[in-house]
Amino acid sequence: MFNKFLKGKHNVIVNEFLLTYSNKDKYFIRTKPWDWLSKKEIYVMSKIDGKPTMITMDFWAQEIFLDADGQITVSEMINVACNQYLKSKTPIPEKLDFVLIQELEHMITQLKIIEFRDQITQLPQNINLPISQQAGT
């Protein structure tokens, strides 16, 4: 009976870096306002060295930022990314977990636009919605 479940190609996701990552069970949340720059690209309003800055990002950084809603853990985010590859029948890049975690760490420690939390956290309205969709703008 179980043979039909065992037939076919199996995809095993091994995220070696994630397994030992100390913050894998932390939730992450964006902390700066953002908006759409174009139909596919966002920007984040921040300050770097005390100067107002408009930050744009490459694909994965943008995905991480938009996923930073305080509702998923780092492990869950990595699994979502891996599943996107599996659904599109594209091989998962080697060390995808390492690349994504390094990008997340950069946004936390260098850009300071995301923070870790120990529990699920709701985004404030001014961070949740794009600037252009907020009341009064």
Side-chain angles (χ1 to χ4, degrees):
M1 177 173 172
F2 291 108
N3 285 342
K4 68 179 180 180
F5 297 113
L6 299 175
K7 289 181 182 177
K9 187 177 178 182
H10 297 284
N11 293 306
V12 178
I13 302 169
V14 178
N15 292 307
E16 293 179 20
F17 187 76
L18 179 63
L19 293 174
T20 59
Y21 181 56
S22 61
N23 292 315
K24 67 183 176 187
D25 295 322
K26 298 265 187 186
Y27 295 87
F28 57 106
I29 187 167
R30 56 185 178 263
T31 59
K32 302 294 181 191
W34 66 281
D35 207 350
W36 291 100
L37 187 62
S38 69
K39 290 183 180 183
K40 293 183 180 183
E41 187 177 25
I42 67 167
Y43 68 92
V44 178
M45 296 302 302
S46 188
K47 286 187 178 182
I48 297 179
D49 297 328
K51 298 176 185 171
T53 305
M54 187 171 97
I55 301 168
T56 58
M57 301 172 224
D58 64 18
F59 175 79
W60 278 118
Q62 181 170 303
E63 288 290 309
I64 292 168
F65 183 81
L66 292 174
D67 284 346
D69 63 0
Q71 303 299 300
I72 64 171
T73 64
V74 174
S75 294
E76 291 168 332
M77 183 259 302
I78 300 295
N79 288 332
V80 166
C82 289
N83 283 327
Q84 287 177 345
Y85 281 96
L86 292 175
K87 286 180 183 176
S88 68
K89 297 183 174 143
T90 305
I92 299 169
E94 279 189 43
K95 300 183 181 182
L96 178 63
D97 58 335
F98 177 78
V99 170
L100 295 179
I101 289 169
Q102 291 302 306
E103 191 67 56
L104 176 62
E105 286 285 340
H106 174 73
M107 288 189 278
I108 291 170
T109 60
Q110 302 296 311
L111 298 177
K112 300 184 186 323
I113 60 175
I114 293 178
E115 295 176 351
F116 283 129
R117 300 288 168 91
D118 290 326
Q119 56 195 5
I120 289 175
T121 305
Q122 295 297 319
L123 283 171
Q125 196 71 0
N126 68 322
I127 304 294
N128 186 31
L129 295 175
I131 295 166
S132 59
Q133 291 182 4
Q134 294 177 25
T137 57

